[in-house]
Amino acid sequence: MSLAVRVIPCLDVDAGRVVKGVNFVDLRDAGDPVEMARVYDAEGADELTFLDITASSDERSTTYDVVGTTAEQVFIPLTVGGGVRSADDVDRLLRAGADKVGVNTAALARPELIAEIAHRFGNQVLVLSVDARRSSDQPSGFEVTTHGGRRSAGQDAIAWVRVATDLGIGEVLLNSMDADGTRDGFDLEMIAAARQATHVPLIASGGAGTTEHFCDAADAGADALLAASVFHFGVLTIGDVKDALRTSGHTVR
């Protein structure tokens, strides 16, 4: 029995509001995170991801009050990322109501942070968030970026997934910065390459525009499918995506 493919709406939060742009620029308001979380929970989302998208670039911590209020409203697993720099930050987010915590920039700067968090809380709480884009400078053809895709980390994205897996991550959230917000489809080559590099669950993000795109990403090896704008602006519902996955032969919850 194969594991069910999870469908995960993503709330990109800036200053307490959900926003969405294309390639992380030209952000527009998409609503109140708590209200949207409640709607997605009712619609049958398997999990919810909450990313404080300016926490790292503004060098501040994630908004714990919004996380706490969101967690009170939903009864599905909540992953929170953005501005996590230490195991103590993870502790605070878990206490605020997060089920899993995403690390990105701080783990790149100090990879041993992954092992510290996994050792203290168990790897099931730890999600490695990888903002990757195509690059001819790296062996795999994909590089890691930071600061919302604005800076190159000078590191091969697929090699980083492999290293982080060895250090103890529980999941990989792989976001294609090239596809982000375009609705042109997930980067299937990137998903397939990451699938080869890790045994942990792989969440694909960036580029969802049609139900077929979700099916293609699952076929490429994604265990979970994350999207924002198509759900926020009513292009697709969680139900639409699950029906399409079911029809194409994937198990869904």
Side-chain angles (χ1 to χ4, degrees), residues 77-101:
L78 177 64
T79 298
V80 181
V84 176
R85 293 179 193 82
S86 68
D88 288 342
D89 289 342
V90 174
D91 187 50
R92 277 195 289 275
L93 284 170
L94 295 174
R95 290 174 190 275
D99 297 284
K100 295 188 264 191
V101 175

Side-chain angles (χ1 to χ4, degrees), residues 140-212:
S140 72
F142 303 103
E143 71 174 355
V144 182
T145 69
T146 61
H147 298 78
R150 292 189 291 279
R151 292 187 203 169
S152 169
Q155 196 157 341
D156 188 290
I158 304 306
W160 172 229
V161 166
R162 206 172 280 118
V163 167
T165 300
D166 292 341
L167 286 168
I169 53 165
E171 278 187 290
V172 175
L173 168 53
L174 182 68
N175 186 31
S176 166
M177 302 308 292
D178 300 314
D180 178 77
T182 63
R183 301 190 196 172
D184 291 335
F186 293 90
D187 190 326
L188 303 179
E189 283 178 39
M190 186 190 287
I191 293 167
R195 175 74 288 158
Q196 293 293 311
T198 184
H199 60 273
V200 302
L202 178 63
I203 307 163
S205 166
T210 67
T211 55
E212 289 78 16

